[in-house]
């Protein structure tokens, strides 16, 4: 099949609707994002209602416990005085992923982008809508990894999504779905004469 036909077939595959009005792979990207967003926000709601009295719940002794922390900064509470900067960075990341998703040609990349998209969107909602105010909100963290750091489901999604994206890159899985052109492999020897 000529190279132009490959690209035309890929373009048509991208346009097949997944959700009404959305290309199939874009809709696929939004699916894990929505799941991560819903699970993260639901677990934060649970944490704020259950752990707000200072209660700690041991999950795995000397490794994981649940305790409520409001984080104004980034990972490890870095930059706690610059919450609005993190809101801008997170908003840019969400917009960047949504924009890049328009070029998707791979299911693996769609899932790989959707997972951190959900985590980033959830953190952005915390920054925009939680106390102490718009674009200064604190992220709800409640999974304590033995005092090393305290995180949430969105952090797990961001870390896992980043690992998946690195794996896709290392394995040379094309983002657009168009495989890199390689030389034709050498023909196999004809064994019918043996």
């Amino acid at each position: 099949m000529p190279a132009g036909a490959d690209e035309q077939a890929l373009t048509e595959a991208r346009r097949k609707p997944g959700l009404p009005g959305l290309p199939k792979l874009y809709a696929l990207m939004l699916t894990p994002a929505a799941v991560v967003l819903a699970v993260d926000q639901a677990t934060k709601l649970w944490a704020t209602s259950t752990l707000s009295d200072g209660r700690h719940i041991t999950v795995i002794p000397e490794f994981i416990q649940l305790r409520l922390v409001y984080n104004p900064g980034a990972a490890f509470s870095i930059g706690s005085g610059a919450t609005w900067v993190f809101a801008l960075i997170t908003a840019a990341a969400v917009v960047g992923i949504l924009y890049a998703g328009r070029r998707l040609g791979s299911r693996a990349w769609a899932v790989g982008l959707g997972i951190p998209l959900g985590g980033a969107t959830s953190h952005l909602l915390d920054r925009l809508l939680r106390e102490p105010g718009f674009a200064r909100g604190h992220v709800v963290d409640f999974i304590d990894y033995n005092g090393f750091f305290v995180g949430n489901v969105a952090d797990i999604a961001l870390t896992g999504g980043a690992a998946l994206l690195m794996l896709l890159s290392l394995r040379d899985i094309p983002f657009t779905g168009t495989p890199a052109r390689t030389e034709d492999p050498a023909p196999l020897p004809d064994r019918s004469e043996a």
Side-chain angles (χ1 to χ4, degrees):
M1 193 176 345
D6 284 343
E7 290 175 22
Q8 184 178 5
L10 181 61
T11 301
E12 290 303 315
R14 283 188 195 136
R15 289 188 183 150
K16 288 182 183 173
L19 295 173
L22 288 178
K24 184 178 179 181
L25 291 175
Y26 200 82
L28 178 61
M29 177 185 72
L30 295 179
T31 301
V35 169
V36 168
L37 175 63
V39 170
D40 186 59
Q41 288 297 312
T43 56
K44 287 175 179 176
L45 178 64
W46 173 85
T48 56
S49 65
T50 305
L51 305 172
S52 62
D53 61 356
R55 190 167 115 186
H56 294 89
I57 299 172
T58 299
V59 178
I60 300 173
E62 298 186 32
F63 183 62
I64 296 178
Q65 70 174 337
L66 305 178
R67 70 181 179 94
L68 185 61
V69 175
Y70 292 95
N71 183 358
F76 307 103
S77 295
I78 294 170
S80 58
T83 302
W84 65 274
V85 173
F86 295 118
L88 288 175
I89 291 168
T90 306
V94 168
V95 169
I97 292 171
L98 290 171
Y99 182 78
R102 298 175 336 136
R103 293 184 32 240
L104 280 167
S106 159
R107 283 189 214 116
W109 277 94
V111 172
L113 284 177
I115 294 169
L117 174 61
T121 303
S122 192
H123 277 181
L124 181 60
L125 287 176
D126 283 358
R127 299 272 182 218
L128 295 178
L129 304 177
R130 292 196 185 271
E131 293 295 328
F134 185 77
R136 295 179 296 122
H138 297 178
V139 172
V140 174
D141 288 335
F142 62 93
I143 305 171
D144 184 343
Y145 298 91
N146 198 29
F148 181 60
F149 69 95
V150 182
N152 53 45
V153 172
D155 295 328
I156 295 168
L158 288 165
T159 304
L164 177 56
L165 294 175
M166 288 188 334
L167 179 64
L168 293 172
S169 292
L170 290 172
R171 296 203 56 219
D172 289 329
I173 295 174
F175 179 81
T176 59
T178 306
R181 300 277 179 216
T182 59
E183 293 180 27
D184 290 333
L188 295 174
D190 184 13
R191 300 208 181 249
S192 61
E193 297 175 12

